[in-house]
Amino acid sequence: MSTASTVSPSDPSHSTLDPDWPPAPPPKGRAARILQYLIEKRIDTLYFVLRAVKPILGLPKGGPVFVTRFKDVQEVLQRPEIFGVMYAPMIDKSVGKFMLAHDASVYNQRDKGLMRSLIQQSDLPAIRTSVARIADRCIDDGTRPDGTLEVVSQLSRRAPILLTGEYFGFPGPDLESMFRWSRATQYDMFHNQNMSGKVHDDNLKAGREMRAYLSDELLPQRRAELAQDPSLDDVVSRLLKLELPESVGFGEEQILPNIMGLLVGGVETTSQAVVQILDQLFRRPKALEGARRAARHDDDRRVFRYCWEALRFNPINPFVMRQCNQDYLVAAGTFRNKKIRQGRVVLVGTRSAMKDGRELPRPHTFSVDRPDYHYMHLGYGSHRCLGDQVSKVQVPQIVKTLLLKENLRRAPGAAGRIDYGDGPFPERFTVTFDR
């Protein structure tokens, strides 16, 4: 799934491991606190007002610029050379030079092309079968005798980690390490707006541990296995079997960050999507019944549409963050046009775009007949998720496996509401069904 930046709980600590961090101080003052409250608690109201009154709003004193309408969000995300990502300080020092942090560079063009060639559409039927089997096992193992299941720990995080081992070929030393590495890297790289030193240090530690595991254990072992059996076939094995000329520049130093990226981008986003889809379906009994009916009829395309539409009402990202690299006029030729100055941070409202009635008919109505291009769950433009096709199979299949359970419903009380703990990800969400 697509990753993006959100406002996280305040933490004034500073990194003890990286003297060059943080790259910039977090915003302070009353205005910043109000903005954080609106983003965390009233984001859809804020976006509704901005789309109608000031679709492209630059906050005073060099504050961030909001971009809220569908066409303007598309325009900004289609120009990575002008509106660049800001992830490098968190990514490079953890996993190394990785494509997500380097727009308009060889790392993005070369590495993304190579990795996309290894994650093939022809794999999708087998991936669906694997996810169904993994999800069934997770539910069977994690469901209590009374029919309750804590979704996050037992299913929505566990299933994608198990798929990371089985399909991508990165099993990790143990599940606990994979849970910790996934959360620590994703948190700092894409959600640590308050510059928490502890969050950053956890990311750096996870990167060191992953690199050591891959260099000292997994890759030597996999190379030895491939020498004995060249037919081994997972994404890591495919990567190691590549024979590229030196002039391509894709050596051992680039193999490691691209393997680590398979974990970084694929677990927390999947887990959050599964939980928030279920929550939105439970809020809409008719949609829930329609999704159940599609699941019972094995209509995977229909299940996908129910999932993607449910997620539109609470996407994993309120916006994606970009930095303007040169002065640029957004929405030129319209009355809402605005010049964004070099150096400004831009909050590109993908969540807002998916509720823009100028593009989406009846945006506040649940409809499973919308075209795929109305959804930005997997990113847009050059930052379309590397594993987009896998996500479009994995997320609905995990949800489908639960929908097939008899009388699936929220657990009563607080357990049946999403608990985000003290961070940006769902940490607990309990459902129940008749066994």
Side-chain angles (χ1 to χ4, degrees):
M1 301 291 289
S2 173
T3 54
S5 298
T6 63
V7 176
S8 58
S10 177
D11 185 340
S13 61
H14 297 287
S15 173
T16 58
L17 301 180
D18 182 0
D20 297 326
W21 192 93
K28 298 179 180 178
R30 184 170 179 267
R33 290 195 299 272
I34 293 172
L35 176 61
Q36 179 162 334
Y37 170 81
L38 290 173
I39 290 173
E40 290 181 347
K41 305 296 185 182
R42 295 289 185 269
I43 186 67
D44 288 325
T45 301
L46 173 63
Y47 278 148
F48 177 81
V49 173
L50 290 180
R51 285 196 304 270
V53 178
K54 193 70 173 176
I56 307 170
L57 173 67
L59 297 186
K61 299 182 180 180
V65 179
F66 283 88
V67 178
T68 62
R69 288 191 184 176
F70 191 96
K71 291 188 182 300
D72 301 339
V73 166
Q74 281 189 327
E75 180 180 354
V76 170
L77 294 180
Q78 284 175 322
R79 289 160 175 75
E81 71 284 358
I82 296 172
F83 299 99
V85 295
M86 305 165 62
Y87 310 138
M90 288 71 76
I91 291 180
D92 287 359
K93 294 180 180 180
S94 174
V95 304
K97 297 284 188 181
F98 185 54
M99 63 182 80
L100 274 178
H102 297 278
D103 286 335
S105 72
V106 66
Y107 299 106
N108 191 282
Q109 178 267 334
R110 178 198 62 200
D111 293 14
K112 181 169 281 190
L114 283 170
M115 294 304 292
R116 277 199 177 278
S117 73
L118 303 177
I119 303 172
Q120 298 176 3
Q121 283 197 329
S122 58
D123 298 335
L124 296 181
I127 290 171
R128 187 183 301 281
T129 300
S130 294
V131 174
R133 172 175 41 78
I134 289 169
D136 267 329
R137 188 171 80 232
C138 289
I139 294 170
D140 288 344
D141 292 345
T143 302
R144 302 167 192 155
D146 64 355
T148 60
L149 173 74
E150 200 292 291
V151 174
V152 179
S153 63
Q154 301 303 313
L155 177 63
S156 63
R157 276 181 175 149
R158 187 175 297 264
I161 283 180
L162 292 173
L163 187 73
T164 300
E166 187 170 304
Y167 170 69
F168 290 111
F170 179 10
D174 51 71
L175 280 177
E176 182 179 345
S177 295
M178 294 289 274
F179 278 128
R180 183 167 52 82
W181 294 345
S182 168
R183 189 181 189 281
T185 52
Q186 177 78 205
Y187 195 165
D188 185 44
M189 292 176 184
F190 306 110
H191 298 271
N192 192 14
Q193 263 53 69
N194 288 314
M195 307 298 178
S196 163
K198 182 182 185 308
V199 170
H200 185 59
D201 289 350
D202 287 346
N203 171 31
L204 300 187
K205 180 182 178 184
R208 289 196 307 272
E209 291 177 359
M210 273 195 286
R211 186 172 290 272
Y213 164 70
L214 291 171
S215 299
D216 300 342
E217 297 183 41
L218 180 63
L219 296 189
Q221 175 186 339
R222 190 62 51 79
R223 285 189 169 108
E225 292 169 346
L226 286 168
Q228 295 296 318
D229 182 6
S231 68
L232 290 176
D233 190 40
D234 52 50
V235 173
V236 170
S237 296
R238 292 172 184 175
L239 183 60
L240 295 179
K241 285 189 281 189
L242 286 177
E243 295 182 5
L244 299 171
E246 187 175 336
S247 59
V248 173
F250 192 87
E252 191 77 13
E253 74 283 353
Q254 281 310 109
I255 288 178
L256 292 179
N258 280 287
I259 294 176
M260 288 188 273
L262 297 172
L263 176 67
V264 171
V267 176
E268 290 301 334
T269 48
T270 298
S271 176
Q272 188 169 359
V274 168
V275 169
Q276 292 177 189
I277 287 167
L278 288 168
D279 177 64
Q280 291 298 314
L281 289 176
F282 287 145
R283 293 167 184 254
R284 298 169 173 82
K286 288 184 179 179
L288 177 62
E289 183 51 39
R292 281 177 171 155
R293 188 164 50 250
R296 288 194 296 268
H297 285 84
D298 227 18
D299 188 344
D300 292 325
R301 181 61 182 167
R302 196 77 173 164
V303 173
F304 164 79
R305 291 197 167 279
Y306 273 100
C307 288
W308 251 228
E309 178 68 0
L311 192 58
R312 186 176 68 86
F313 287 88
N314 188 15
I316 62 172
N317 309 320
F319 49 74
V320 294
M321 292 183 69
R322 297 291 186 264
Q323 187 163 40
C324 187
N325 296 323
Q326 65 185 64
D327 290 359
Y328 181 84
L329 184 67
V330 179
T334 72
F335 290 114
R336 66 181 185 279
N337 75 83
K338 181 175 177 59
K339 179 174 285 189
I340 301 179
R341 298 292 183 182
Q342 180 179 355
R344 295 290 290 272
V345 172
V346 184
L347 307 183
V348 192
T350 49
R351 178 177 181 133
S352 175
M354 289 190 286
K355 290 188 173 73
D356 185 358
R358 296 156 192 81
E359 177 70 24
L360 281 74
R362 299 175 295 116
H364 302 295
T365 300
F366 193 102
S367 172
V368 294
D369 298 321
R370 301 186 189 280
D372 286 355
Y373 59 77
H374 278 167
Y375 299 109
M376 296 186 178
H377 302 313
L378 297 170
Y380 189 81
S382 68
H383 274 273
R384 177 85 173 173
C385 176
L386 176 68
D388 54 356
Q389 298 302 311
V390 176
S391 293
K392 289 171 74 172
V393 169
Q394 180 175 218
V395 171
Q397 185 61 51
I398 294 173
V399 174
K400 176 186 175 184
T401 308
L402 272 178
L403 290 172
L404 290 171
K405 299 302 179 183
E406 187 69 28
N407 195 21
L408 177 71
R409 57 200 184 277
R410 293 181 191 274
R417 298 192 293 270
I418 302 176
D419 180 359
Y420 290 88
D422 60 355
F425 312 117
E427 299 294 343
R428 285 166 293 278
F429 180 67
T430 303
V431 300
T432 187
F433 51 86
D434 299 342
R435 301 203 71 171

